[in-house]
Structures are given as C-alpha cells and as structure tokens.
Amino acid sequence: MDVTLHLAQDPEADALLGRSPLAALIGMLLDQQVPMEWAFKGPATIARRLGSDDLDAHEIAAHDPEAFAALLSEKPAVHRYPGSMAGRIQQLCQYLVEHYDGDAEAVWRGVDTGAELLKRLQELPGFGKQKAQIFLALLGKQLGVRPAGWREAAGSYGEEKSFRSVADITGPESLAKVRAHKQEMKAAAKAAKAAKSPKAPKSAGGGGA
C-alpha cells in the first residue's frame, strides 16, 4: 500500500496514511468529534512522539497505557479526548496483534467479497457499521481494495462521487463538498428533531408587547 492521500491536508501526515495501513485505520478511528484533518494528522503525530516515522501495532499494544495517554495528551493534543482515544487505539492494536499478528493490511488482504470485508471491519474495536462502511469506501475508492460487491457493502458511501465522507476527499475542492454535505445533514437532523419536539403550551394570560 503506497498511494497519495489528502485526508490530513498535511504532506507528512498524508504520506504516512498512504503507506501505512495501520495509520489509515487509526486515523479513521480518531475521526469523530474533531475536524477530519485533525483526526488524520494524529497517526503521524503519534509516530513522531514514539520516535519513529512509522507505526507498529505490537509496540502500541504493549505500551504502558498511562504513558501512551500522556503521549496523546501533549500539546497539541492528538484528539479532543486524548485519554479515551489512547485507550481505543491500544484496544485496536491489541486486537490486530491477537487476530492478524499485528498486520493491519491483513484485515482486507485477499478478502473475496465486500460483505466479508465489512464484517471484518465491524469486528475491529471502535468501528461501528457507519465507520466500517466509510473505511470500506475509502479502501475501494482510493486504495484499490475492491472485492466483489464492495460498493454495495459500503452503502451510500460507496456511490461514485457521492461526497459523503472522507472516502471522496482527494483535495481542497472535494473536502469543501464533503463539508457542505455534512452541514446539510446536520441541519436536516436538527430540523427533524425540532419538528418532533412537543410544542410549548400557549400562555393562558394576555400577551404583552
């Protein structure tokens, strides 16, 4: 795996994401409750603080939890919630060590169908269905991992030029389109929630100006 990604909008961080399957998985794990660029810059920051230009699942899994949490908490923090995300990253790496001998790429290497790949991704700690589908779409659209039925397994994120997620981001223009889509989704969700909430009872008294 050695491709050019543009998720962190930072050459060094994007280079690591493009050559390291583990970095890509960790970036995807971090991509929640923070701007996308912040999340996908995280793997490079972690590698640098570990004194390396790459990431190793065995090393992270065996790292002292308190020390690893402190490493993510250094300024600038790797995530808005560095302590809890440090634990999730270690759980992910421990799972990869136990099930794939620490080889992150083995999660998708040689998988025959999109359904099987989705199942494997959903088994990873911290990966719910939506996150698994987005990562599956990223694998198919930008990393050349395209088992039979991968678009269907990725759901709406697998649609060509859907601009719904990081899977479609290849530069500033597509990033702006994805951001616009997310804003639309947030606005729609807010409107739907407001429509469902009970209306406040009308005041019994006369209304003042």
Side-chain angles (χ1 to χ4, degrees):
M1 177 172 139
D2 193 0
V3 299
T4 302
L5 295 176
H6 301 277
L7 304 180
Q9 303 287 299
D10 174 274
E12 180 190 349
D14 280 326
L16 178 60
L17 294 170
R19 71 173 183 268
S20 166
L22 178 58
L25 279 175
I26 290 175
M28 190 73 238
L29 182 65
L30 289 168
D31 187 23
Q32 53 187 299
Q33 298 178 299
V34 295
M36 180 204 71
E37 301 96 316
W38 184 0
F40 283 96
K41 199 172 179 178
T45 302
I46 294 169
R48 188 166 58 251
R49 291 177 184 175
L50 286 171
S52 175
D53 59 358
D54 206 346
L55 292 171
D56 182 274
H58 290 90
E59 179 186 2
I60 294 174
H63 211 283
D64 175 75
E66 287 189 13
F68 191 65
L71 182 143
L72 266 70
S73 301
E74 289 176 26
K75 303 289 185 184
V78 168
H79 193 273
R80 182 173 292 156
Y81 305 106
S84 62
M85 293 312 296
R88 291 188 184 188
I89 290 171
Q90 285 198 289
Q91 287 172 2
L92 172 63
C93 289
Q94 286 158 3
Y95 182 91
L96 291 172
V97 168
E98 290 170 14
H99 296 267
Y100 296 100
D101 194 26
D103 179 5
E105 193 171 6
V107 175
W108 54 85
R109 188 191 299 118
V111 174
D112 294 324
T113 68
E116 173 60 23
L117 178 50
L118 180 63
K119 178 176 177 290
R120 287 190 181 195
L121 290 170
Q122 283 188 257
E123 288 170 351
L124 298 175
F127 278 68
K129 185 176 182 181
Q130 184 184 45
K131 191 176 287 288
Q133 285 187 313
I134 291 172
F135 193 78
L136 198 164
L138 177 65
L139 287 172
K141 291 180 176 183
Q142 298 200 48
L143 300 174
V145 180
R146 296 166 185 149
W150 71 270
R151 285 190 187 275
E152 292 78 5
S156 59
Y157 302 107
E159 295 170 8
E160 194 169 355
K161 296 182 180 178
S162 58
F163 298 109
R164 293 174 182 272
S165 71
V166 299
D168 290 290
I169 294 174
T170 55
E173 186 179 340
S174 50
L175 171 59
K177 289 182 180 179
V178 170
R179 281 242 160 86
H181 173 78
K182 288 190 174 182
Q183 289 302 321
E184 287 174 13
M185 293 299 100
K186 282 183 182 177
K190 189 175 180 181
K193 186 177 179 182
K196 284 182 183 177
S197 5
K199 291 183 180 178
K202 289 183 179 179
S203 170

